[in-house]
Amino acid sequence: MNNVVTTNIVRFIVLVLAQALVLNNINFLGYINPYIYILFIILFPVKNNRMLFIFLSFLLGLCVDLFLDSGGVHAAACVTLAYIRPLVLKFSFGMIYEHQTIKFNNTELGQRLSYFAILIFIHHLLLFSLETFNTSKILLILTKTIFSGIFTLLLCLLITVLFSQKRK
Amino acid sequence: MQQIINFLVRNKSFLLFLLLFSLSLFFTIQSHTYHKSKFINSANFLTGGIYESVNGIGQYFNLKEENQKLLEENNRLKSVLFNEKNELKADFTLDSTLGNQYELTAAQVYKNSYSATNNYLTINKGKRDSIHEDLGVITSKGIIGIVDNTSSKYARVMSVLNTNSRINAQLKKTDHFGTLRWNGVSPKIIQLTDIQGLAKVTVGDTVTTSGNSTIFPKGIPVGEVVSFKLVETEDVYTINILLFNDMTNIGHVYIIENKDAKEIKTLNDPNE
C-alpha cells in the first residue's frame, strides 16, 4: 500500500515538472503539444477513494495551470476526467473492471488503446474549448484536439510500455 | 433532514466534482478577463523559482544569438548617438530627473509560450524592482506585451499573442491608428483592426505603437503589413501584420515605465 502511495506522489511531481518544463516547449508545427500529465489520472489505481481521487486530479490540473498561466483550464478538464473515469473503465474493460482487478500492464492492447484514446480526447476537447472560450473558433479547437490528442496518445502508450514493471 | 443528509452522502463525489469544476471554471473565466487573473499565475515564488533554476541551464544555449542581437542593437544606438552629437540641443539634459519621461529596466524571460490562445511570459523582475501592472514590455526589435501581474521577484507579461490583448497602434506613414489584436492562429501574424477606410494601406507598410496610451511611447516598431481587407459594412480595414519580433524566441526584454502616466491618467479621468 505504502509503495502505491509513494509511486503516485513521485509520478505526480515528475509529470507536472516534465509537462511544464519540457513538453510545453515542444510546439511541434507551431502549436502541437502533448499533455501527458494526465497519465497520472489514467494510471491511478482502480481501487481508490473516489473523493480523494477527484481532489488529487483537481490539484494536478491546478499545478499545471500555475505553470502554464492558463487560469483553471487544466483543472476543469482533469476534474471531469477523474469523475467520468469509472464509466470509461467499464466501457473499455468490461468484466475485469467489475471485479476490480485491472493491472494496466497486463491488459490487452486494444482495450488499453480505447481506454487511453477516450480519456485523452475528452480531456483535450474540454481543455481546448475552455482555453479558446469562443464558439466561433470551433474548427481551431477541433484541429488542436485531434493533432495534440494523437501526439499525447502515442507518447502515453510509449511511456506505459517503457516503464511497465513486468518485463516478460 | 435525514433525507437531505442521505442525499448528500450518496452524491458526495458528484457534489465534490461539481464544486471543484465550478471553482476551475471560475478561474478560467477570470483568466479571460483583463486584470482579473490574480490567483493562478506563474509569477509566484514556487513556479518562478523553478523556472529560474531551469533557465539557468537553458540560457547558455542561446548565448551566441543573444550576443548577436545585442551587437546589432549597440550598433544601431551608437550610430544614432554619433550622428546626433553635433546637433544635440544644449538644454536637453539640464536635469536628468526631469528629462527622462521613460525609464527602462532590462529583464530576462524565464517562460514563454506561443501555442495557446492566451499566451503569457514570465520575467525575472518584480515589485522589488519597482515593476507594476500596465508597464510596456519591448525588445530591441519591437513590442512584446504588457505587464499584467507581479510578485516580489517575478512578473507576468500578457503577450501580444493573447486574444485578450488590446494595444493601440498606427500606420507609421499616415498616422491612422487602430487596435492590435490576435486571432489565435499564427504566432507570427497579428491583426490591426479598426483602421479607418480612408487610410491608404499598402503591403510592406510599417506599423508602430501610436503613443495614444500611457503604456508605450510613440514609434515603437510592431511589424509590417502583409495583407489587408476592407470590412465593407463598417468601412474599416483589418490588416494582417508580420511581427518584427520572433515571438517564439525571446531572451532579453526591456520594461518601459512612463513616469508621467499617473498625471496623464488623472487628467483624462473625469471622476478625479
Side-chain angles (χ1 to χ4, degrees):
Chain A
M1 188 60 204
N2 207 3
N3 192 16
V4 178
V5 175
T6 355
T7 325
N8 276 296
I9 292 173
V10 170
R11 198 182 276 159
F12 188 101
I13 297 169
V14 169
L15 282 175
V16 169
L17 285 182
Q19 183 64 46
L21 302 176
V22 183
L23 294 165
N24 248 75
N25 297 320
I26 290 182
N27 293 317
F28 181 59
L29 296 183
Y31 61 94
I32 302 173
N33 279 330
Y35 293 94
I36 60 142
Y37 69 94
I38 53 169
L39 264 181
F40 176 81
I41 300 173
I42 294 178
L43 299 180
F44 201 80
V46 177
K47 268 187 192 168
N48 58 40
N49 178 348
R50 200 152 171 223
M51 302 279 279
L52 182 75
F53 177 46
I54 291 178
F55 185 70
L56 278 179
S57 305
F58 176 72
L59 220 60
L60 175 80
L62 209 62
C63 284
V64 176
D65 274 329
L66 264 181
F67 274 102
L68 303 186
D69 286 312
S70 44
V73 175
H74 289 273
C78 282
V79 171
T80 317
L81 209 58
Y83 185 71
I84 60 162
R85 192 179 82 142
L87 278 177
V88 183
L89 274 171
K90 201 182 263 175
F91 175 80
S92 298
F93 296 108
M95 274 308 283
I96 325 173
Y97 173 65
E98 302 283 313
H99 297 104
Q100 306 260 314
T101 50
I102 301 175
K103 288 267 187 321
F104 288 110
N105 296 324
N106 298 341
T107 52
E108 278 176 45
L109 186 71
Q111 288 179 337
R112 207 189 323 168
L113 194 71
S114 77
Y115 170 60
F116 277 30
I118 292 170
L119 283 186
I120 286 171
F121 281 107
I122 290 172
H123 174 267
H124 281 38
L125 189 63
L126 207 61
L127 179 75
F128 290 121
S129 9
L130 281 177
E131 189 194 282
T132 314
F133 220 64
N134 191 343
T135 42
S136 64
K137 286 177 184 156
I138 190 117
L139 216 62
L140 187 74
I141 295 171
L142 286 178
T143 39
K144 274 189 166 179
T145 306
I146 288 169
F147 288 119
S148 288
I150 291 169
F151 200 177
T152 312
L153 186 61
L154 284 177
L155 265 186
C156 282
L157 286 174
L158 262 178
I159 287 169
T160 45
V161 169
L162 280 177
F163 287 91
S164 65
Q165 276 140 1
K166 275 184 195 151
R167 293 199 177 82
K168 288 173 190 169
Chain B
M1 194 63 203
Q2 185 82 37
Q3 283 191 332
I4 296 174
I5 294 173
N6 268 343
F7 173 80
L8 288 181
V9 170
R10 235 183 308 127
N11 291 313
K12 60 179 192 276
S13 54
F14 179 68
L15 290 174
L16 181 72
F17 160 70
L18 220 59
L19 177 78
L20 293 178
F21 189 75
S22 37
L23 192 65
S24 31
L25 265 187
F26 169 72
F27 286 142
T28 309
I29 291 166
Q30 269 208 328
S31 79
H32 285 277
T33 322
Y34 187 59
H35 273 182
K36 278 284 175 63
S37 44
K38 294 288 179 206
F39 307 116
I40 308 297
N41 67 71
S42 65
N44 60 49
F45 77 99
L46 178 71
T47 50
I50 291 173
Y51 276 131
E52 181 170 12
S53 48
V54 171
N55 192 266
I57 308 164
Q59 63 172 300
Y60 290 101
F61 297 117
N62 298 324
L63 270 188
K64 204 173 169 186
E65 242 167 272
E66 283 300 323
N67 274 334
Q68 190 62 36
K69 271 187 205 162
L70 280 179
L71 205 66
E72 276 169 22
E73 190 186 4
N74 260 336
N75 186 26
R76 195 169 51 80
L77 290 176
K78 278 249 161 67
S79 61
V80 169
L81 189 68
F82 288 145
N83 289 329
E84 203 149 288
K85 209 170 206 169
N86 305 325
E87 48 195 278
L88 203 61
K89 310 107 201 165
D91 57 349
F92 188 61
T93 48
L94 268 181
D95 189 343
S96 62
T97 53
L98 280 178
N100 297 339
Q101 190 193 348
Y102 295 103
E103 192 171 286
L104 268 72
T105 315
Q108 192 171 3
V109 175
Y110 278 166
K111 177 225 141 198
N112 178 20
S113 74
Y114 52 88
S115 59
T117 43
N118 295 310
N119 294 297
Y120 296 93
L121 299 94
T122 308
I123 55 176
N124 70 342
K125 289 283 154 68
K127 276 186 193 127
R128 64 172 190 189
D129 309 284
S130 62
I131 301 301
H132 53 84
E133 281 176 9
D134 283 337
L135 298 187
V137 178
I138 60 167
T139 67
S140 51
K141 286 184 185 163
I143 63 165
I144 295 288
I146 297 170
V147 175
D148 99 315
N149 223 317
T150 51
S151 68
S152 68
K153 281 171 78 179
Y154 310 101
R156 185 173 79 163
V157 180
M158 183 190 268
S159 158
V160 285
L161 302 183
N162 188 315
T163 45
N164 299 325
S165 150
R166 304 275 183 274
I167 294 173
N168 224 306
Q170 67 172 35
L171 294 166
K172 193 180 180 186
K173 215 163 58 181
T174 61
D175 281 3
H176 285 92
F177 61 87
T179 313
L180 281 179
R181 300 156 192 261
W182 189 49
N183 61 5
V185 178
S186 160
K188 291 190 181 106
I189 310 278
I190 63 173
Q191 283 69 38
L192 180 62
T193 55
D194 304 336
I195 289 273
Q196 274 293 316
L198 293 169
K200 281 203 179 70
V201 189
T202 42
V203 173
D205 276 359
T206 308
V207 175
T208 64
T209 54
S210 69
N212 283 353
S213 74
T214 53
I215 297 173
F216 291 104
K218 188 174 176 162
I220 289 177
V222 175
E224 63 176 32
V225 176
V226 282
S227 67
F228 55 90
K229 196 176 73 192
L230 189 65
V231 184
E232 297 276 354
T233 49
E234 293 168 48
D235 199 31
V236 288
Y237 282 109
T238 297
I239 305 175
N240 282 324
I241 295 167
L242 181 70
L243 285 169
F244 287 135
N245 262 324
D246 181 4
M247 292 299 289
T248 62
N249 178 18
I250 297 165
H252 291 89
V253 294
Y254 303 102
I255 306 158
I256 304 181
E257 179 171 9
N258 185 348
K259 298 252 171 182
D260 298 344
K262 217 174 175 182
E263 202 177 323
I264 297 170
K265 264 187 196 143
T266 26
L267 261 180
N268 290 341
D269 193 353
N271 295 330
E272 290 196 23

